[in-house]
Amino acid sequence: MVSQRNKKRLFSGMGYREVQRSNSNRRSKLPKKEQEWLKESGYRNVGWDNVIELYQKINDLLSSSNSDEPSLEDLFLQADRIGNKYQTSEEIDAFNRSLRSEVEEISNQIDKQFPDSDSEYEFVDYSKQPRKPVKAMRKSST
């Protein structure tokens, strides 16, 4: 019979001390602000369950820190700003005029495909109960 002490617990193929070491190394790669947040939030590198929780939280923070890279929109705005340095004001005005005309053409096409018509609205009043049809009583001649 194998005792509990001789049986080594593993998490992601690592033992307790290895997970602790990994947490320490990876935590140091985080910005100071996030390191302080982990400490204030009670994530600790002591105790098997705490070590695993810290490991998973550091994974989340490291994967979200990659989102600090500029978005595609930011890159386009930056490229536009840099490109404007090498254009004259006449070239910029000509581009803006052509862009405006293209946008108007697209808007006209959308209006043709999806016309706004106020007369198409139908109002239904559900507040009144529908009347029951009144049955005419026949007079019986007896």
Side-chain angles (χ1 to χ4, degrees), residues 8-25 48 51 55:
K8 189 173 183 179
R9 288 176 69 181
L10 296 176
F11 175 74
S12 296
M14 297 182 285
Y16 176 75
R17 299 250 184 235
E18 293 168 314
V19 178
Q20 278 185 316
R21 195 172 304 113
S22 172
N23 285 348
S24 296
N25 292 336
W48 188 245
V51 168
Y55 184 89

Side-chain angles (χ1 to χ4, degrees), residues 11-135:
F11 175 74
S12 296
M14 297 182 285
Y16 176 75
R17 299 250 184 235
E18 293 168 314
V19 178
Q20 278 185 316
R21 195 172 304 113
S22 172
N23 285 348
S24 296
N25 292 336
R26 293 176 32 232
R27 177 188 250 173
S28 66
K29 294 177 184 176
L30 292 172
K32 280 285 187 198
K33 183 177 158 185
E34 289 180 353
Q35 290 179 22
E36 291 170 7
W37 180 84
L38 283 172
K39 188 173 184 177
E40 291 168 2
S41 298
Y43 288 97
R44 300 178 62 208
N45 207 14
V46 176
W48 188 245
D49 293 332
N50 293 336
V51 168
I52 292 172
E53 284 180 25
L54 179 61
Y55 184 89
Q56 292 168 340
K57 192 60 177 179
I58 291 174
N59 277 347
D60 293 343
L61 292 174
L62 285 174
S63 65
S64 69
S65 67
N66 292 341
S67 64
D68 290 341
E69 297 173 2
S71 68
L72 187 59
E73 180 183 5
D74 294 335
L75 291 174
F76 276 115
L77 291 173
Q78 186 176 7
D80 186 46
R81 183 178 46 80
I82 292 171
N84 284 343
K85 289 181 182 178
Y86 301 103
Q87 293 179 336
T88 63
S89 60
E90 293 84 20
E91 290 173 328
I92 294 172
D93 290 339
F95 173 76
N96 287 337
R97 279 194 300 274
S98 66
L99 179 64
R100 191 177 316 118
S101 67
E102 289 291 327
V103 169
E104 286 175 11
E105 286 180 35
I106 292 171
S107 176
N108 290 336
Q109 288 293 325
I110 290 173
D111 288 342
K112 286 178 186 176
Q113 292 180 7
F114 304 102
D116 286 338
S117 174
D118 293 334
S119 63
E120 292 183 21
Y121 294 115
E122 179 181 346
F123 294 99
V124 179
D125 185 13
Y126 290 105
S127 63
K128 297 180 182 177
Q129 294 292 332
R131 286 188 176 186
K132 293 183 181 178
V134 178
K135 295 182 183 177

